[in-house]
Amino acid sequence: MQMSDTREIAAPPAAVYAALLDADTLKACVPGATEVAGNPDDGFEATVVQKVGPVKATFKGAVTLSDLIENESLTISGEGKGGAAGFAKGGAEVRLAPTDGGTQLSYDVEAKVGGKLAQLGSRIIDGFAKKMADQFFSNLQEHLEGPKEESEGDDVDGTKKGWLGRLTGKD
């Protein structure tokens, strides 16, 4: 399974690069991460709890960083074992480029699964892997930029409106 995407992050490349090397930031950004420890030189140990279709598993694994070019690019590789659920492994090539508003982050991700997870079918696995990658980079963006001020479903005073309220203009 392979995918690519690009995001605009309102932070300089040095801040984005530093965030990708920080264990606390990684823990905050990896969906389902309960523990991330280590450093860029020796790698990181991580524990992630995820539910993929009907299979819920705790994955324990290692993440290594390589091909580090400060403030420009790096490669993230990881492998996790989820007991009876199987295993997941993959990697991402991340590129950073300065823009007027901050940083353009581009990534190419490749992921593989085995065991019970592989029996779920490629549509479920591909959708899950895309969701995980999107969530990680969205979390990273929010971590660096701060939470969004107002979303599409918010009223003028910031309160949430249901779909019927948005449609009719009433609460």
Side-chain angles (χ1 to χ4, degrees):
M1 211 269 343
Q2 296 179 321
M3 68 188 131
S4 301
D5 202 358
T6 302
R7 292 185 174 267
E8 288 289 328
I9 299 178
V16 177
Y17 186 82
L20 288 168
L21 302 181
D22 180 65
D24 291 333
T25 301
L26 293 175
K27 181 180 177 187
C29 296
V30 172
T34 57
E35 186 180 329
V36 176
N39 60 63
D41 296 329
D42 301 325
F44 297 95
E45 295 291 321
T47 302
V48 177
V49 178
Q50 276 300 327
K51 187 172 191 298
V52 186
V55 179
K56 182 177 181 182
T58 299
F59 291 90
K60 291 188 180 287
V63 177
T64 56
L65 304 177
S66 60
D67 305 324
L68 284 88
I69 300 173
E70 191 170 348
N71 304 333
E72 288 182 28
S73 65
L74 63 118
T75 300
I76 303 169
S77 302
E79 184 169 351
K81 291 181 175 43
F87 71 89
K89 65 180 174 179
E93 290 182 19
V94 181
R95 293 167 306 285
L96 308 174
T99 63
D100 288 342
T103 303
Q104 180 182 38
L105 181 146
S106 305
Y107 61 91
D108 296 309
V109 174
E110 185 171 353
K112 295 178 183 154
V113 295
K116 274 188 186 175
L117 289 175
Q119 296 171 0
L120 293 174
S122 63
R123 276 186 45 213
I124 291 175
I125 296 299
D126 290 357
F128 175 76
K130 180 172 179 12
K131 182 178 129 193
M132 285 285 289
D134 286 346
Q135 189 65 56
F136 172 79
F137 288 108
S138 291
N139 291 349
L140 178 68
Q141 185 170 0
E142 186 172 306
H143 181 80
L144 289 163
E145 295 178 356
K148 298 273 184 248
E149 288 297 315
E150 183 178 311
S151 70
E152 198 175 296
D154 289 352
D155 198 357
V156 179
D157 64 358
T159 58
K160 284 281 188 197
K161 278 190 170 184
W163 66 271
L164 186 60
R166 287 194 304 271
L167 189 63
T168 62
K170 300 177 185 173
D171 281 333

